[in-house]
Amino acid sequence: MNYSISLVLFLCIVLDGVKSEHLNTRTHVRKTRRFHAGTSFNSHKITGSYKSSNDVAISEIYDPLLGVWNIIGSMAEEREAHAATILKSGKSSAGSMVTPRAYHTVTLLNSGKVLVTGGRTFNSIILPSCEIYDPDMDTWSLTGNMTVERTRHTAILLNSGKVLVTSDDSRSEVYDPITGKWNSLASMGPIPCYNSVGTLLSSGKVLLSGGMQLSKYSTSSEVYDPITNEWNPVGNLTIGRRFHSSILLNSGQVLVSGGVGDADYLSSCEIYNPLTGKWNSTSDMTESRSSHTTTLLSSGKILATGGYGGAGFLDSSEIYDPSAGTWTRSGKLAIARSYHTATVLISGKILIAGGET
């Protein structure tokens, strides 16, 4: 299955979370990748791979202590739009899934096992099936199917250890790793919303914001309460948006930044207060950006990197100070990019990998 894409990035950049004005080129990723996933766990290593018009089965691992990428062998099948993760044991996922799939989600469970949900096959069949990877046995096995087929959906690990999945049709469900079964939840808002962004709140509830409704940029927000298993509407965003970023601040509030709206690419930002259920505007970013990343630094400030704006792909980064409510420019990336990943390393530095330019 071929996808028409522009040049795909293969350069990795590390940003010092303390002296954020300097971005340093480190080591090249051995294979290009797009729409990949990067996650840091106890091993503090990251893996990933991709498939595009030049299909690749190779996986690789980044060691932040050495600052190098190493190929760790080939996957059983070439893949595109899949996800890879490092397990708590420090091993890398191996073996073949029961069903080849793309645009699925991957969630590390509290047990150390990995849950894969939904996605679609290479002949565009959308899947309800789910699988569990056991790193001790190095095996994949089927678990309970979701109640509906899903692709390009969202999966969030709840504080209970269960997994919440939402997608574009107002239907959501929760997976229980103990029983291996899914339970449907009450419907979300009356109008289906897609491309919403989810954030786990300090309370254990989940906030969904923005997206598209009836071909319009949505201002709606909803909160899922795992205790009552219900969705409840909360205050609307001040501006409808999609392809935005949402991140939990140390204060327990949520910062939403950028995206695309009626006014084209957005620089506007707003703060959600879970105590009042309302949104309030905060300072705009220094430039408009969508499909960017936001990362919580050890200082409590927020780093925004890259993305896509009115001038095209962005090589800029900026820092948000929650105490002052202001954004300031930071160093430039070596290469403009969007759809990349940003991962906090144990050193406090940030690894920027992949993307599109």
Side-chain angles (χ1 to χ4, degrees):
M1 183 174 183
N2 294 326
Y3 289 81
S4 176
I5 60 174
S6 53
L7 178 65
V8 182
L9 299 180
F10 59 90
L11 184 66
C12 280
I13 290 177
V14 173
L15 172 65
D16 190 314
V18 179
K19 297 180 179 179
S20 57
E21 67 274 15
H22 298 296
L23 285 155
N24 299 311
T25 300
R26 295 296 297 275
T27 306
H28 287 75
V29 182
R30 294 179 183 267
K31 297 292 180 180
T32 57
R33 61 195 65 231
R34 179 176 183 238
F35 300 121
H36 60 296
T39 309
S40 180
F41 294 100
N42 291 348
S43 62
H44 311 298
K45 296 180 180 179
I46 304 165
T47 63
S49 59
Y50 85 109
K51 178 177 179 178
S52 66
S53 56
N54 294 317
D55 297 343
V56 175
I58 295 173
S59 296
E60 49 194 304
I61 194 166
Y62 175 75
D63 187 335
L65 297 179
L66 299 177
V68 297
W69 288 91
N70 292 301
I71 292 175
I72 58 172
S74 295
M75 294 185 291
E77 296 190 24
E78 299 164 331
R79 305 168 190 268
E80 178 178 304
H82 70 294
T85 188
I86 288 296
L87 308 175
K88 289 182 178 179
S89 63
K91 296 179 180 178
S92 58
S93 178
S96 296
M97 287 188 291
V98 177
T99 304
R101 63 187 75 212
Y103 299 109
H104 52 288
T105 66
V106 173
T107 306
L108 181 69
L109 303 176
N110 289 341
S111 64
K113 296 180 180 180
V114 176
L115 172 69
V116 166
T117 69
R120 72 183 190 194
T121 64
F122 292 118
N123 54 358
S124 297
I125 297 175
I126 300 176
L127 300 169
S129 65
C130 303
E131 306 184 32
I132 293 286
Y133 176 72
D134 186 334
D136 294 328
M137 302 298 293
D138 190 21
T139 56
W140 289 92
S141 59
L142 291 173
T143 186
N145 282 1
M146 293 183 290
T147 59
V148 294
E149 302 87 352
R150 300 179 190 271
T151 186
R152 296 179 182 267
H153 50 296
T154 299
I156 297 177
L157 181 68
L158 303 175
N159 289 345
S160 63
K162 297 179 180 180
V163 178
L164 170 69
V165 164
T166 67
S167 54
D168 302 347
D169 57 3
S170 294
R171 290 180 288 182
S172 58
E173 49 193 311
V174 169
Y175 176 77
D176 187 337
I178 296 176
T179 64
K181 295 181 179 179
W182 292 88
N183 293 303
S184 296
L185 304 177
S187 294
M188 300 164 65
I191 301 176
C193 185
Y194 59 96
N195 291 141
S196 296
V197 177
T199 307
L200 182 67
L201 303 177
S202 301
S203 63
K205 298 178 181 180
V206 176
L207 171 70
L208 280 187
S209 65
M212 292 290 289
Q213 285 180 315
L214 300 178
S215 300
K216 295 181 179 180
Y217 296 103
S218 175
T219 60
S220 68
S221 299
E222 300 182 63
V223 167
Y224 169 68
D225 187 337
I227 296 177
T228 62
N229 273 343
E230 293 179 342
W231 288 94
N232 292 295
V234 293
N236 285 349
L237 292 161
T238 61
I239 297 175
R241 63 185 77 217
R242 69 189 291 205
F243 300 133
H244 52 290
S245 179
S246 176
I247 190 166
L248 183 69
L249 304 176
N250 284 343
S251 64
Q253 297 181 327
V254 176
L255 171 68
V256 158
S257 60
V260 181
D262 291 329
D264 204 10
Y265 298 100
L266 302 174
S267 62
S268 64
C269 303
E270 36 196 312
I271 298 284
Y272 174 75
N273 187 338
L275 298 180
T276 63
K278 295 181 179 180
W279 293 89
N280 291 293
S281 297
T282 187
S283 299
D284 289 358
M285 292 185 289
T286 60
E287 60 185 307
S288 303
R289 62 182 80 228
S290 66
S291 303
H292 56 293
T293 59
T294 50
T295 309
L296 179 66
L297 304 177
S298 58
S299 63
K301 296 179 180 180
I302 301 298
L303 169 70
T305 60
Y308 194 90
F313 294 99
L314 302 174
D315 63 359
S316 61
S317 66
E318 49 190 302
I319 299 287
Y320 178 74
D321 185 342
S323 61
T326 56
W327 291 90
T328 56
R329 289 185 178 273
S330 188
K332 286 186 177 293
L333 300 167
I335 297 178
R337 63 183 75 206
S338 67
Y339 299 113
H340 52 287
T341 59
T343 306
V344 181
L345 305 180
I346 191 172
S347 64
K349 296 181 179 180
I350 312 299
L351 175 68
I352 303 296
E356 179 186 8
T357 193

